[in-house]
Every structure is written in structure tokens, then in C-alpha cells.
Amino acid sequence: MICPACELQEATQELVISGHTYKFCGFDAYKLDRFAHNMESGHSVNILWGNGRIGWGEWFTTRDFLRRHNIKEVLEIGCGLSTELFVNEGMKLIGFDTLAEHVAALKRLIPIKDFVTLHHYEGDGTPGSNDPPVEQLYPGRKWDFIFVDGPHQRYNEVKVATRVCSDKGFIQLHDPNLGEEVFFPGDDWVETEQGRIYKRKTNV
């Protein structure tokens, strides 16, 4: 049986919803389970993506920062719920993700399709694995805001972010210390008052 949500993967996981039993692939079953959990707890944002792990307080801090600095476009490395939140805030977005499932799921969300450009790449974020091909696909481009939330290790991803961030730009780490702490923030970057959002020390 094929998963009715993605129509791609084999449906191996059962979920009981309102007394009815459904079967989904592991990825979509997990998303639905997290969606239900967030509906019950109200702790995290729940919108189309359904796999919310961004708390309301954290998102409001990011949203207010974007507004204060008049950010209009985001480079995102590690896509998901944050992608939708940025689009809902009126951002244009270029996203990179190592999970093909994430890219495919987001491309199916019709309301965001005119605002995002998404790329899948192979890599596990560890030194020596593949970098997100930002510089190859967008040579010479710089961004004023880069959001890094993946993959599980992300040494390469933060390295790339430091190279393509504009001199007056910012890098936000959703979960810090997942490989990048060996070099970042280092001598060149400083944390802003919001926390987890960094700027160059020359960015005053």
C-alpha cells in the first residue's frame, strides 16, 4: 500500500484518528503525530507543514527581528515549518535541504510555491561531506539573513553561511552547537541581543 499523503513511499505505520485506522509512511506518520501533539499542547506553531518544533516565543523573536531589520529574503539551509513561517511573513526564500522528503513535501504546498525556490542536496553536514551548493547555483550572491536548521550535523552548512552572508547580514542558528562550535562564532562573529542570531563584529 502506498502512503496516501505523499503517494510515493510504502505505508508501514498505522495511526488511529477519530476511531479510524489509517496507514502512512514513517515520515508522514511522524508529521501527523507531531501535528496532533502540538494541537493538544499549543506549545509550537502548527500550520500546513504539521511537523512543528518552533515555539511561539522563538518565532515571535525571529519575526520581530526580521521586521526591525527590514529583511525581505531569506536563505534557509534546513527546510520545514520555518519555511512556511518565513513565507507567511512575506519573505522570498531560497532553501536547501538534505532530505528529499522535506523538499517534496514543501513543493506540494500550493500557497507557498510562488515564494520559494527549493534545492535538495546530498550531505550529512560533517567535515568532508557535500556542502549545500549555494555558491555554485548562486555565484556572487549575498544574503542579509541566513537561517540554518539542518542537517543533524552542520559544520559545512554554517561554513557556507559565513561565506554568503552579506557584510551587514545575520546568521540565525535554530539549534546551536551541532558541529559548528569548533569554529563559529570564532573571532569574526558576535551574538546579537536576541540570542542565536549572529552578526559580524564589523557589522555595527
Side-chain angles (χ1 to χ4, degrees), residues 106-122:
L106 285 163
K107 284 184 175 179
R108 292 197 301 272
L109 299 181
I110 301 301
I112 74 171
K113 69 181 181 66
D114 293 330
F115 301 93
V116 301
T117 302
L118 300 169
H119 304 279
H120 170 252
Y121 70 102
E122 299 288 345

Side-chain angles (χ1 to χ4, degrees), residues 2-3 5-10 104 108:
I2 298 299
C3 173
C6 69
E7 299 181 343
L8 296 172
Q9 304 295 322
E10 183 179 356
R108 292 197 301 272

Side-chain angles (χ1 to χ4, degrees), residues 148-161:
V148 183
D149 187 25
H152 181 67
Q153 298 289 317
R154 53 179 197 206
Y155 177 97
N156 299 331
E157 285 65 25
V158 176
K159 279 280 191 186
V160 170

